[in-house]
Amino acid sequence: MNGSLKAIVLLSGGLDSSTTLAIAKENGYIPYALSFSYGQRHNAEIMAARRISKRAEVVEHKIAHIDLRLFGGSSLTADIPVPKSRVLSDIGAGVPVTYVPARNTIFLSFALAWAEVVGARDIFLGVNALDYSGYPDCRPEFIQAFQRVADVATKAGVEGSRFLIHTPLIHMSKSDIIRTGVRLGVDYSATISCYDPDSDARSCGQCDACLLRLKGFQEAGLVDPALYVSGAGVPVA
């Protein structure tokens, strides 16, 4: 247990980051949640992050405002359609148009800055390299590389107080992530994973994120409690 240690937890409002927050708490860390309003298509995930951080009773929840629409290059930050109804076996086979260039590099840099200010030496990130969308900044190689950056790019690092990037979900299947979250009491009805929800914050059920999420619940033998356009817990097509 690490009850005396502070940790920065990157919290998007989705399934993975909410489970990661619960894992950090289970391991005794004192969580500070960090979310980003980065010019994404919708603010439903920011609203979800607020709900989750409140329920988890984090010490502080900061929302950093940056605008990656300045660069675009992704269907989440530019006027590019979100892919729908892709075959599950194709998801993760390449880098999709929903990839936001350098997003996790930017997010971890902010987390590193806040960690140094509050005296945290642990940063939690809910990336996954098994049931994932094919993003290069969700792979173990990226995390290892950023770990080296953290060691040399900060006052704390060069003075010998090493930061540690935790990725507890990186080798877990989506179903195992869900089972872990259920065991830890994560309320998945409060989360949203969809890339393209409607104006009522209902998930589309057809984008890559929805399909992977629904596949995970199906394999875990559970019904997804999130709201979908076609109803809660719609089956994988």
Side-chain angles (χ1 to χ4, degrees):
M1 296 291 286
N2 298 289
S4 63
L5 295 183
K6 301 173 182 177
I8 307 299
V9 181
L10 291 173
L11 182 66
S12 70
L15 183 153
D16 291 341
S17 66
S18 300
T19 306
T20 299
L21 173 58
I23 291 172
K25 290 192 66 178
E26 181 192 35
N27 283 281
Y29 286 92
I30 302 169
Y32 291 68
L34 178 59
S35 304
F36 292 86
S37 177
Y38 62 91
Q40 59 266 57
R41 298 176 71 92
H42 58 84
N43 67 352
E45 62 184 31
I46 297 298
M47 296 167 61
R50 286 195 175 107
R51 291 193 298 269
I52 294 155
S53 63
K54 184 175 181 180
R55 295 180 187 189
E57 299 181 328
V58 302
V59 176
E60 189 175 358
H61 180 208
K62 284 190 180 293
I63 299 174
H65 294 267
I66 54 179
D67 195 351
L68 297 183
R69 291 176 298 181
L70 176 66
F71 308 121
S74 166
S75 61
L76 302 189
T77 56
D79 189 18
I80 302 170
V82 172
K84 301 286 181 72
S85 303
R86 292 214 296 161
V87 177
L88 280 168
S89 59
D90 290 343
I91 298 175
V95 181
V97 72
T98 51
Y99 163 68
V100 179
R103 181 174 59 180
N104 281 343
T105 305
I106 295 166
F107 288 1
L108 279 171
S109 297
F110 272 67
L112 192 61
W114 195 22
E116 191 159 34
V117 170
V118 301
R121 293 295 174 264
D122 297 271
I123 297 171
F124 281 78
L125 177 66
V127 293
N128 177 261
L130 190 55
D131 284 337
Y132 83 127
S133 296
Y135 299 157
D137 53 2
C138 288
R139 299 173 303 149
E141 297 93 323
F142 166 72
I143 301 302
Q144 292 162 8
F146 195 89
Q147 179 71 70
R148 293 194 293 273
V149 170
D151 291 341
V152 301
T154 60
K155 177 177 181 291
V158 299
E159 290 179 349
S161 185
R162 193 169 188 259
F163 292 92
L164 184 60
I165 313 298
H166 299 262
T167 56
L169 312 184
I170 200 159
H171 295 301
M172 294 173 67
S173 68
K174 192 69 74 178
S175 58
D176 284 340
I177 293 169
I178 290 165
R179 292 188 189 99
T180 299
V182 169
R183 176 178 63 81
L184 296 177
V186 176
D187 180 3
Y188 286 125
S189 70
T191 69
I192 186 166
S193 303
C194 184
Y195 293 143
D196 194 25
D198 69 4
S199 58
D200 294 320
R202 295 180 301 178
S203 298
C204 73
Q206 298 299 324
C207 69
D208 289 1
C210 283
L211 292 174
L212 288 172
R213 176 178 174 131
L214 288 165
K215 172 178 174 284
F217 273 97
Q218 188 177 67
E219 291 178 349
L222 300 168
V223 174
D224 187 353
L227 292 178
Y228 287 83
V229 172
S230 57
V234 294
V236 176

